[in-house]
Amino acid sequence: SGTSGGESKLIPTTDEVLRRRSQLDKLQKCVMSQAVPDYGNDKAMYFMFLRSEEKTPGGLTARALSTSIYRSPYFDFSRPQNNYTSPPATFLCPDSYQSMYSQMLCGLCQNRQVLRVGSFFATSFIRAILFLEKYWSLLCKDIRTGTVDARVTDPSVREAVMKILKPDPNLADFIEAECTKDSWKGIITRVWPNAKYVTTTVTGTMSQYVPTLDYYSSSLPLVSTMYTASEGPFGINLNPFCKPSEVSYTLIPTMGYFEFLPNRGNNGEEEQQLVDLADVKIGQEYELIITTYSGLYRYRVSDVLRVAGYKNNAPQFNFLCRENVVLSIDADHTNEVELQNAVGNLFPFDARVTEYTSYVDNATIPSHYVLFWELSVNGSTPIPPSVFEDCCLTIEESLNFFYRQGRAYEKTIGPLEIRVVEIGTFDQLMDYCVSLGASMSQYKTPLRVKFEPHIDLLNSRVVSSYFSPMCPKWVPGYKKWTRIDCQAF
């Protein structure tokens, strides 16, 4: 786990934990069967990616969570609820290109049967759509001729795909016609016309991808079903078809022992007393602390949750952000939510930010925030530099009191900078993380980069940069304590 941040960590797991994950998955599917009458009888184009296993010096098997789940005896591809367009061999292929190509090919061959699409994280699904945009001509050729491209060399993958693939010139012509249109808006519902919803995680860091998913899917419902992590299974969404901004998860007490550290934003004073699941209060924010069946004791997950309400007597939580994903130079503490709100201030040039990340540049005096933006520009009118400069200032105006104080009054923070990078930069960043051991299906674009090779990669692909032209507005106010101790419990 943790490979998207540049430094991986080993999380213990046991057969017992895998069994409980399976129980949570079955419970979630019961909820989905109530919301979708034909759930379990439909066909899902769901992208999954596995990595090869390694051995620790002590001889234990080390592998990504997704690999552990899909290789466990509790995950059965033959179940009706697991009625995927792609055969198991395509998921189990360790080569990311061959796996993606074969899964997309199988999904296209059965395009009329697909009723739901998705992947565990939004990033994986968007990457699949971008893959289609890049390789549609090869995929159409294979569908037209009934053959598999030569770059797919894994014998088990080729054999499995050939059981599905049949020559279909009409389907190839249909897909080619859709992919060659001027706009890719609604491409999911155009190519898979019977798709009813997208199932993927769109909370926390993934919420930034909601506009992109809406663009490609003609605003199909976005369904976030479960709250789970490498550390263990946590809870489910009992209202799966709610708006992404309203998603709440009900924690299942049999999955582990849950405690909560009141977040520093709740009170003006430090409060370090842990709160039990039964004692949380509506509207309050907490950091999740877990004790698991695999041996973690009062482990700080670093997830910040807000109590949204109750299902009977069970509290339900909104996932807000990761506590440790912040930019900070002085007294300022810019969290994930603030960064996402700031990036929402876009400009009217038919352009959008498709990917972004950030870091603190300490090479300048004073240090300053840097946002790396990858843009998708559909309009023909060039975007003048003044627009980007206005974006810098708008972002600074959106940030917290302490940031603006440091910028405008104390002069401890330099002007915010936007660095526009080449198209495909964030794909390269993900490929680099995967090469270091990250699981493709679990990778999340980090909202803050600290790993030096990540920063070097991003800087090597910068095409232009812009600074805030003036200080943001700031007036003196009551300075609250912001420090919180970081010791483990």
Side-chain angles (χ1 to χ4, degrees), residues 191-211:
V191 175
W192 294 275
N194 296 317
K196 295 180 179 179
Y197 60 95
V198 180
T199 175
T200 189
T201 303
V202 288
T203 53
T205 58
M206 295 296 111
S207 63
Q208 63 176 303
Y209 300 107
V210 170

Side-chain angles (χ1 to χ4, degrees), residues 237-378:
N237 180 5
L238 294 177
N239 184 20
F241 281 85
C242 65
K243 295 178 181 178
S245 60
E246 298 173 355
V247 170
S248 64
Y249 298 102
T250 303
L251 302 189
I252 308 302
T254 54
M255 295 296 115
Y257 188 77
F258 302 107
E259 296 176 281
F260 302 87
L261 175 65
N263 196 32
R264 60 171 173 256
N266 288 338
N267 303 287
E269 59 182 20
E270 288 299 324
E271 186 177 344
Q272 290 293 307
Q273 185 67 38
L274 291 180
V275 177
D276 286 330
L277 180 62
D279 298 323
V280 296
K281 298 178 181 178
I282 289 182
Q284 297 293 293
E285 296 177 10
Y286 302 89
E287 182 183 347
L288 179 63
I289 311 293
I290 62 167
T291 299
T292 71
Y293 288 91
S294 60
L296 296 179
Y297 175 71
R298 284 189 163 175
Y299 180 94
R300 296 182 71 161
V301 181
S302 296
D303 289 353
V304 178
L305 310 177
R306 180 174 58 218
V307 184
Y310 289 88
K311 172 65 175 179
N312 296 327
N313 291 324
Q316 298 178 303
F317 297 86
N318 302 130
F319 182 100
L320 296 184
C321 61
R322 295 281 291 180
E323 174 67 22
N324 60 354
V325 181
V326 295
L327 293 178
S328 181
I329 294 174
D330 190 25
D332 56 298
H333 293 275
T334 302
N335 64 34
E336 180 179 322
V337 172
E338 289 174 314
L339 277 180
Q340 291 178 207
N341 288 340
V343 171
N345 295 305
L346 301 181
F347 34 85
F349 280 84
D350 199 14
R352 56 194 171 88
V353 178
T354 56
E355 292 272 12
Y356 81 97
T357 191
S358 61
Y359 90 111
V360 172
D361 189 345
N362 293 312
T364 61
I365 302 175
S367 301
H368 70 287
Y369 288 5
V370 175
L371 298 183
F372 292 98
W373 279 10
E374 182 173 317
L375 303 178
S376 174
V377 181
N378 297 318

Side-chain angles (χ1 to χ4, degrees), residues 327 334 339 342 358-359 367-371 373 388-389 391-397 399 403 407 413-419 465-470 472:
L327 293 178
T334 302
L339 277 180
S358 61
Y359 90 111
S367 301
H368 70 287
Y369 288 5
V370 175
L371 298 183
W373 279 10
F388 287 103
E389 292 172 357
C391 282
C392 291
L393 181 59
T394 301
I395 290 171
E396 289 194 307
E397 296 281 6
L399 297 180
Y403 175 88
R407 271 281 285 130
I413 302 173
L416 181 141
E417 179 184 5
I418 290 174
R419 297 178 187 174
S465 65
Y466 310 90
F467 289 87
S468 182
M470 63 184 73

Side-chain angles (χ1 to χ4, degrees), residues 29 36 62 156 161 167 185 193 225 244 249 260 323 355 384 404 443 464:
K29 286 173 179 175
V36 183
S156 61
V161 173
K185 184 176 182 179
T225 57
Y249 298 102
F260 302 87
E323 174 67 22
E355 292 272 12
R404 289 180 284 113
Y443 173 82
S464 58

Side-chain angles (χ1 to χ4, degrees), residues 158-196:
R158 296 184 67 89
E159 180 182 358
V161 173
M162 286 304 298
K163 293 179 180 178
I164 297 173
L165 181 63
K166 307 295 180 186
D168 194 338
N170 292 333
L171 177 59
D173 291 342
F174 167 75
I175 296 170
E176 181 177 359
E178 294 298 334
C179 292
T180 52
K181 289 181 178 178
D182 293 338
S183 172
W184 271 57
K185 184 176 182 179
I187 192 67
I188 294 171
T189 51
R190 283 157 41 193
V191 175
W192 294 275
N194 296 317
K196 295 180 179 179

